[in-house]
Each structure stands twice: as C-alpha cells, then as structure tokens.
C-alpha cells in the first residue's frame, strides 16, 4: 500500500485546504472557431442520442452561454432531449475542501465503470470566480476517471448567481441522460447555499465527512446533515481508522435525533478510504438499497416531480430578477435609491416600491 503523506505521524491533522486559484478561462472556441461545424438542432439531438461526447460537450457549452442565440438553440435541444432523459441515478456529492471529493469521485467512478456503467460528473461552484474556491469537476483532479471513455467530466459553469449556475447544471443533466449516462454526479463544496441547489436536483445526497477535525472546522450545519441520505467518513485508513470509527458513531447518534425523513429512509453512516479504494463497494450498495427503497415506495417519482416544479419556479424567479437588474432605468435608479436608503432618507420598502414602479412603467 502506497503511503499517504497525511498518514505520517508528524502530520498535524486532516487539514481543510483553502482551494486553489482558478486559472484564467481560455475560450474553448478560440482555436476551433473556423473549423467547428455548426449543427442544426436535429443534428445535435441525433448525435447526443448516439452518445457522441464531443457534441454533448458542445451542447453543454451552449447551455452555459449567455448569448441569446446560443440559449435559443440550447433550449430547442433540451426540449427534444427531454423525452429521452430521466433514466439515470443522480447523486449529489458534497464535503468541505480537502474532504476528498475528487479523490472519492475518481474511485466511485472507476468502480461504476468497471460494472459497465457510464458516468457524468458535473459541478456547482458559483463561488469559484470571486472567492477562488476549489475547481470542482476538474479533470486534472480525477486522473483515473479522466482517461475513461465512459466518463464525462465537466467543471462548474462559471460566473453568475447560484440560481443561474444551478439551472445550467440541471439542464446539462438532461443532456447527459439523453446521451445515455447511467449515473450523474453533481459535486459541490460544502460551505454554503449550493448544497440546497444540488439537493434539489439529485436522487441521493451524499455527504463526505472527515474524522477528527472537530465539528466547527467541518462547518457541518444541521440543515446539511438533514439533507443527507448517506454520510460517508473518508480517509478511514492507516492511523486514522480508529478516529473514523468514533466519528461514525458520533454521526449515527446525531442522526438519531432527527425526525425520520419524508422518504422513510434512515440515512446510513459508513467509513471508507477514497485514496486506497477501501469499502467503496459498500457505499454503492447503500445507494442501490436507497434507490430500490424509494422506487418501491413511489417516493423516487414524487421527489423528481417536485424537483421539476421547483425548477420551473426557480427559472421564472431568475428570469425576472435578471430582466429587472438589466433594465437601463433600474441600473440608473438603483445607486440613487441605495444612497437614499443608506442615508436614512428613505425606508427600504419605499425605495423598493419606487424601483418596482419604475420597472413596470417601462412599458
Ligand atoms: P476535495 O477538495 O474535497 O476534492 O479533496 P481532494 O480529493 O483533493 O483531497 C484532499 C487531500 O486529501 C489530498 O491530499 C488527497 O490525497 C487526500 N485524501 C483524499 N482521500 C483520502 C483518503 O481516503 N485517505 C487519505 N489518507 N487521504 C486522502
């Protein structure tokens, strides 16, 4: 067994890493600009359904683009792909930076591919541009998976509001499913709101935890634990096994205090090692058990239908918000109103009412 540096006795504990600075985005079209063939909607759909990853990737780029013509094309493709979507198992994966998400996804993915499955890894990381968060879903972080032809790895759409980034990821799920992927992973960093967004688009929500870092460091909020269908404690290897077992009991006890989830499923707590590929099988057995359980009870479809309605409202909210803030009158008015509110010259509510009145008068 190769020795992992974190298992060195001198190692000061399982650190939460700060993440790395995002490299500048290179326009993926730059080189291809002149040679890339423009497909019609029919051609896109046909190739996606045939499992053509290059075309799938181009369609995802359209989904992520803010250009109106790209969006129009993307929506037409999505609509045609919808009847072929929905057949995958969608798994949300979260954990603080350093918890071992990419290492684990790499070994989960290799495990699934060995079973003849196809896997897409998507990500939601709205913070990546501004706060230099970790780069989720990056191929270089999933070395074994990146070379597999049955794996499609796509980093988080960058920029924009969480709602916008999440919507794009949700639409990409549809395209990946139409392309025949059996499993879709949606990865996010466990530090904030983005878990809720991921939770609202997956069937199973997996929380990766570490032992021995202390609760405060893991920033584990009650809300996140309540969302989890499974909690898995990573790095249960070497000297860390004992601590992982203690943490397992700790989490099991904590979960007992929660009311039973609506699904009727009691979340399980397992220990494993993503780096050494230990007890990965058990994690997949748990997920299979869950899927069988909720399919049998009918909750699987109830949850998916509810998610679809949720995303309809989210999309409307996002559209309205964007339309409002992009409006020229509003752009001019907002700084004025903001100054007045800051200077106590106007109440927040009156200022908001004035802004809305100005918006609706625009005709
Ligand atoms: P992420 O930020 O959550 O994606 O975490 P990474 O997968 O990048 O892992 C962070 C660090 O933890 C790296 O140095 C990994 O090699 C290490 N690591 C990940 N999984 C394990 C494990 O199972 N055991 C040990 N000992 N270290 C691990």
């Amino acid at each position: 067994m190769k020795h992992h540096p974190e298992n060195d006795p001198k190692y000061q504990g399982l650190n939460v890493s700060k993440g790395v600075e995002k490299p500048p985005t290179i326009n993926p079209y730059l080189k291809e600009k002149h040679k890339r063939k423009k497909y019609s909607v029919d051609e896109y759909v046909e190739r996606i359904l045939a499992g053509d990853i290059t075309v799938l990737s181009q369609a995802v780029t359209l989904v992520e683009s803010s250009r109106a013509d790209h969006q129009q094309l993307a929506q037409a493709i999505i609509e045609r792909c919808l009847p072929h979507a929905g057949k995958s198992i969608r798994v949300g994966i979260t954990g603080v930076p350093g918890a071992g998400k990419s290492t684990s996804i790499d070994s989960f993915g290799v495990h699934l591919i060995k079973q003849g499955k196809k896997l897409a890894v998507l990500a939601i990381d709205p913070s990546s541009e501004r706060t230099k968060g970790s780069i989720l879903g990056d191929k270089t972080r999933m070395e074994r998976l990146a070379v597999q032809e049955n794996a499609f790895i796509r980093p988080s759409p960058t920029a924009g509001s969480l709602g916008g980034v999440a919507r794009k990821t949700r639409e990409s799920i549809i395209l990946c499913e139409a392309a025949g992927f059996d499993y879709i992973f949606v990865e996010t960093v466990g530090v904030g709101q983005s878990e809720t967004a991921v939770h609202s688009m997956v069937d199973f929500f997996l929380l990766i935890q570490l032992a021995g870092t202390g609760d405060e460091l893991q920033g584990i909020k009650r809300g996140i634990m309540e969302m989890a269908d499974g909690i898995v404690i990573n790095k249960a290897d070497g000297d860390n096994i004992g601590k992982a077992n203690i943490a397992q009991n700790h989490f099991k006890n904590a979960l007992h205090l929660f009311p039973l989830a609506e699904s009727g499923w009691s979340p399980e707590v397992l220990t494993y090692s993503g780096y050494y590929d230990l007890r990965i099988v058990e994690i997949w057995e748990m997920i299979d058990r869950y899927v069988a359980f909720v399919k049998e009870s009918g909750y699987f479809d109830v949850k998916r239908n509810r998610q679809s309605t949720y995303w309809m409202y989210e999309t409307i909210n996002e559209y309205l918000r964007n339309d409002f803030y992009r409006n020229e009158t509003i752009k001019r008015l907002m700084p004025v109103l903001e100054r007045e509110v800051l200077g106590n010259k106007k109440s927040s509510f009156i200022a908001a009412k004035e802004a809305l009145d100005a918006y609706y008068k625009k005709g």
Side-chain angles (χ1 to χ4, degrees):
M1 196 184 261
K2 198 163 70 172
H3 185 67
H4 192 280
E6 286 194 9
N7 291 339
D8 193 294
K10 289 202 208 76
Y11 186 69
Q12 291 296 315
L14 299 165
N15 284 337
V16 171
S17 57
K18 289 202 182 67
V20 288
E21 193 161 341
K22 200 174 172 60
T25 310
I26 296 164
N27 179 356
Y29 283 9
L30 216 57
K31 264 203 229 126
E32 288 178 280
K33 211 168 190 168
H34 301 293
K35 34 175 215 224
R36 197 167 69 90
K37 191 174 171 318
K38 283 210 163 106
Y39 298 117
S40 67
V41 174
D42 279 347
E43 284 168 327
Y44 266 112
V45 175
E46 198 178 297
R47 280 161 199 253
I48 289 171
L49 293 182
D52 183 332
I53 300 216
T54 313
V55 175
L56 168 68
S57 187
Q58 287 171 4
V60 171
T61 305
L62 292 174
V63 165
E64 291 175 354
S65 165
S66 50
R67 263 176 54 179
D69 55 335
H70 286 173
Q71 270 307 309
Q72 210 179 356
L73 187 53
Q75 293 310 321
I77 298 167
I78 291 168
E79 202 171 349
R80 294 270 307 279
C81 283
L82 256 180
H84 307 277
K87 292 188 199 90
S88 80
I89 301 299
R90 308 166 183 167
V91 181
I93 297 179
T94 189
V96 292
K101 290 180 294 303
S102 29
T103 311
S104 305
I105 290 174
D106 208 31
S107 41
F108 296 162
V110 169
H111 169 72
L112 291 172
I113 282 173
K114 270 194 201 143
Q115 297 187 330
K117 307 287 185 199
K118 285 176 76 181
L119 164 75
V121 181
L122 308 175
I124 293 185
D125 187 9
S127 66
S128 61
E129 270 208 335
R130 269 163 294 145
T131 58
K132 300 175 181 141
S134 55
I135 315 166
L136 296 181
D138 191 318
K139 286 185 185 170
T140 55
R141 296 161 72 237
M142 298 160 194
E143 287 172 9
R144 288 185 294 162
L145 206 52
V147 296
Q148 298 287 337
E149 69 177 89
N150 281 339
F152 174 64
I153 305 175
R154 184 85 187 185
S156 172
T158 50
S161 64
L162 170 61
V165 170
R167 180 185 52 76
K168 290 170 190 168
T169 301
R170 175 155 159 107
E171 291 179 340
S172 302
I173 292 180
I174 295 168
L175 299 182
C176 292
E177 288 182 341
F181 286 91
D182 305 291
Y183 284 90
I184 316 274
F185 288 179
V186 186
E187 180 190 10
T188 197
V189 181
V191 286
Q193 288 272 304
S194 49
E195 286 94 348
T196 317
V198 172
H199 185 249
S200 63
M201 63 177 82
V202 297
D203 306 312
F204 189 95
F205 193 71
L206 188 72
L207 173 61
I208 298 182
Q209 285 289 323
L210 295 178
T213 49
D215 278 357
E216 69 293 343
L217 205 59
Q218 299 197 37
I220 170 151
K221 290 165 216 91
R222 197 191 145 94
I224 296 174
M225 261 183 84
E226 253 169 329
M227 281 193 277
D229 300 301
I231 296 179
V232 287
I233 298 156
N234 189 21
K235 310 194 187 181
D237 47 55
D239 292 343
N240 202 34
I241 294 178
K243 276 195 274 180
N245 290 339
I246 295 171
Q248 183 181 23
N249 281 330
H250 170 85
F251 281 115
K252 276 186 179 166
N253 290 337
L255 284 174
H256 278 314
L257 303 174
F258 292 166
L260 187 67
E262 198 194 354
S263 58
W265 167 262
S266 313
E268 296 181 14
V269 186
L270 304 173
T271 64
Y272 78 108
S273 167
Y275 188 80
Y276 293 110
D277 276 344
L278 305 174
R279 289 183 300 287
I280 304 295
V281 178
E282 281 81 346
I283 295 179
W284 288 93
E285 284 171 354
M286 163 176 72
I287 295 175
D288 289 345
R289 261 199 308 285
Y290 172 85
V291 172
F293 178 79
V294 289
K295 281 202 168 160
E296 168 77 25
S297 72
Y299 184 77
F300 187 87
D301 291 327
V302 169
K303 187 170 171 183
R304 281 216 173 164
N305 289 339
R306 209 179 279 159
Q307 289 175 337
S308 298
T309 344
Y310 170 84
W311 282 101
M312 176 180 75
Y313 285 109
E314 271 303 294
T315 310
I316 294 173
N317 292 347
E318 194 207 341
Y319 178 86
L320 289 175
R321 197 182 306 118
N322 287 347
D323 197 57
F324 179 84
Y325 286 109
R326 278 187 200 139
N327 179 273
E328 290 304 323
T329 313
I330 296 301
K331 274 193 204 159
R332 278 193 304 275
L333 189 58
M334 287 323 290
V336 181
L337 289 173
E338 198 176 312
R339 270 198 300 279
E340 288 177 336
V341 170
L342 282 173
N344 271 334
K345 294 202 183 78
K346 225 170 238 169
S347 86
S348 320
F349 305 101
I350 290 177
K353 175 94 175 50
E354 273 182 33
L356 288 165
D357 284 346
Y359 174 72
Y360 284 113
K361 250 186 247 141
K362 74 186 163 98

